[in-house]
């Protein structure tokens, strides 16, 4: 019997001082989780029940598409990661065993699963396969934050598809799209599936599942026309610049003493920010200096720039600006630049712009991209709210929590790790792979973020720690207590998971804790209701109250519970 007098549910009135996210505050206050160290969290019994319910939904939907569950170790030989080219990742925990062998604590399991498949799969007859597991991951996160959202240790579901070719990969990918859609619907989340960057995973393409909420660490670009993409890769037509200067036959220098920022130059010359060319001197790994140009009212998207260049880039320092770009910071421009120039597409076709003059206190006006300098063109800016998506809709930007991701890996891991098969003609070919992750803790936190109110958590019915919280107000030996005990047994026979608050505490304390924990339905048995032959019911979401007849209350409560979302 789950009696609150014996259950480990240490609720507290005050949230941690460093808590900003709603989920961080409420998971601690409701007794669901506790922090052991920076980025290290313990799930207490009620919190773990939620986590396990999420896991079970994921497991059921993956089993339904033919996936097979297994388990791989967290501790792995470093050689696997060297072979895949990912050993240098800064967030990867690295260590040595007592014999001095290099080991890692896995942050994901592409290397391990590919190693196994390389040794077991031989023929096209062995494909396709879908394998998955739930396992602890370790990540040397530089700035753990937001409670369980950004941690150093967490549990992930990883699944992997193995196919003969790109067509097979597309089929496995679509199976996961459909399974993931059902998972997030069943978990009661509001969510978007958005295009995303492949990042450190590599491969041919990716999508993320995003749950919108204020605590989200990602921004999503959305439109009413159905466009959805992580801002890391989102593309859109920019808003036009109002008030562009008249174009000139050739650039003309203009004195701009001490004006080194977009705001200063625009104010001095009386032009809008979008009439300026923002010049960003960058040093690209293995490539050297590159001058990146944006419209003055736009921001650089570092992910897009990295993908275009095929390498990481960083801002040049003052000495590098002098030595490699031949000028000083604040007055850099593309006209006469002696380094490679990359210009954002939003500058294409504009005329009469203002750019740095490549000498102190001087800018050029009347600059036309394409006439006065010939750049490489690329989409390297961040989309902005109000831009127009490729489908014609107006872009809005929303913060969101990433709760899942899916990647078309292609042969990114099978080739270096030797995962091949023999086709019908006996020719050896690389296996095509997909990788698909879900974070149960992120689903849990997103549910709290999206549905909490001023009183506490309000769980979606499928993942709540308990279906019903039964509050008994009578003392031992009183009729109300005896009625509560009988109702508890009847609710269990109806198949409901019940938390029974039998504590010797005030009604106010019991009600406050019940609302803080957020089970979908609360039933209260007290003297007044009992005298009226009733049981009080409160639906947690919306906090609607109603009365159920004492006779048959368990069946009526079960029917009410099944009607909740």
């Amino acid at each position: 019997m789950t009696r609150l007098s014996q259950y480990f549910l240490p609720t507290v009135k005050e949230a941690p001082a460093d808590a900003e996210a709603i989920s961080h505050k409420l998971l601690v206050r409701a007794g669901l989780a506790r922090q052991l160290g920076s980025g290290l969290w313990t799930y207490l019994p009620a919190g773990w029940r939620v986590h396990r319910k999420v896991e079970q939904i994921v497991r059921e939907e993956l089993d339904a598409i033919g996936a097979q569950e297994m388990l791989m170790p967290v501790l792995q030989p470093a050689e696997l990661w060297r072979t895949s080219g990912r050993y240098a990742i800064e967030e990867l925990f690295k260590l040595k065993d007592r014999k001095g062998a290099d080991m890692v604590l896995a942050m994901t399991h592409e290397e391990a699963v590919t190693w196994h498949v390389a040794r077991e799969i031989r023929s096209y007859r062995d494909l396709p396969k879908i394998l998955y597991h739930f396992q602890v991951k370790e990540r040397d996160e530089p700035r753990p934050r937001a409670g369980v959202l950004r941690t150093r240790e967490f549990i992930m579901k990883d699944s992997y598809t193995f196919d003969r070719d790109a067509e097979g990969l597309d089929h496995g990918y679509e199976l996961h799209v459909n399974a993931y859609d059902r998972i997030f619907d069943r978990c009661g989340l509001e969510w978007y599936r958005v295009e995303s960057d492949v990042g450190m995973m590599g491969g041919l393409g990716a999508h993320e599942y995003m749950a919108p909420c204020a605590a989200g660490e990602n921004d999503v670009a959305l439109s009413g026309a159905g466009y959805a993409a992580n801002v890391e890769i989102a593309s859109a037509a920019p808003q036009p610049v109002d008030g562009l200067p008249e174009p000139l036959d050739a650039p003309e220098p203009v004195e701009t003493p001490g004006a080194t920022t977009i705001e200063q130059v625009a104010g001095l010359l009386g032009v809008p920010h979008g009439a300026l060319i923002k010049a960003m001197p960058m040093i690209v790994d293995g490539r050297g200096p590159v001058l990146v140009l944006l419209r003055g009212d736009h921001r650089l998207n570092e992910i897009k720039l990295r993908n275009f260049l095929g390498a990481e880039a960083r801002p040049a320092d003052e000495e590098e600006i002098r030595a490699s770009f031949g000028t000083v910071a604040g007055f850099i421009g593309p006209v006469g630049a002696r380094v490679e120039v990359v210009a954002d597409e939003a500058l294409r076709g504009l005329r009469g712009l203002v750019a740095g003059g490549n000498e102190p206190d001087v800018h050029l006006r009347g600059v036309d991209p394409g006439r006065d300098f010939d750049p490489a063109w690329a989409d390297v800016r961040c989309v902005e709210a109000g831009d127009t998506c490729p489908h014609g809709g107006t872009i809005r930007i929303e913060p969101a929590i990433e709760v899942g991701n899916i990647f078309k890996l292609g042969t990114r891991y099978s080739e270096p790790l030797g995962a091949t098969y023999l086709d019908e003609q006996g020719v050896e070919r690389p296996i095509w792979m997909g990788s698909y992750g879900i974070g149960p803790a992120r689903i849990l936190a997103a549910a709290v973020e999206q549905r909490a109110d001023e009183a506490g958590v309000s769980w979606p019915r499928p993942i709540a720690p308990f279906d019903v919280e039964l509050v008994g107000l009578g003392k031992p030996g009183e009729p109300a207590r005896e009625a509560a005990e009988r109702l508890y047994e009847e609710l269990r026979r109806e198949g409901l998971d019940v938390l029974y608050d039998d504590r010797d505490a005030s009604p106010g304390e019991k009600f406050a804790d019940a609302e803080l924990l957020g089970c979908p339905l609360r039933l209260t048995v007290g003297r007044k209701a009992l005298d009226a032959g009733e049981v009080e019911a409160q639906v947690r979401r919306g906090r609607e109250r109603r009365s159920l007849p004492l006779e048959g209350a368990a069946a009526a409560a079960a029917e009410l519970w099944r009607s909740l979302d």
Side-chain angles (χ1 to χ4, degrees), residues 123-125 164 421-429:
S123 167
Y124 69 93
R125 296 185 181 88
R164 304 174 191 177
Y421 72 97
L422 297 179
D423 68 11
E424 293 92 327
Q425 287 73 45
V427 177
E428 187 176 62
R429 299 190 182 279

Side-chain angles (χ1 to χ4, degrees), residues 80-151:
L80 287 177
W81 290 73
R82 290 195 178 100
T83 302
S84 72
R86 296 205 296 175
Y87 186 69
I89 294 173
E90 284 188 285
E91 290 81 11
L92 182 66
F93 275 106
K94 306 173 180 74
L95 66 155
K96 292 182 182 290
D97 66 15
R98 65 174 62 195
K99 296 180 180 178
D102 290 328
M103 308 293 288
V104 304
L105 297 177
M107 59 198 306
T108 181
H109 279 70
E110 281 73 21
E111 284 79 2
V113 74
T114 308
W115 187 91
H116 284 299
V117 166
R119 281 150 184 77
E120 309 300 337
I121 299 295
R122 291 287 179 264
S123 167
Y124 69 93
R125 296 185 181 88
D126 300 325
L127 299 171
K129 288 284 188 294
I130 306 177
L131 304 174
Y132 78 99
H133 73 163
F134 290 89
Q135 182 56 290
V136 171
K137 312 289 183 183
E138 306 287 349
R139 179 186 176 94
D140 195 5
E141 174 62 47
R143 295 182 305 279
R145 59 192 183 279
V148 301
L149 284 175
R150 180 65 66 176
T151 60

Side-chain angles (χ1 to χ4, degrees), residues 405-423:
N405 50 51
I406 53 179
F407 296 90
K408 290 184 179 181
L409 299 178
T411 59
R412 161 66 180 86
Y413 295 90
S414 56
E415 287 186 344
L417 290 161
T420 62
Y421 72 97
L422 297 179
D423 68 11

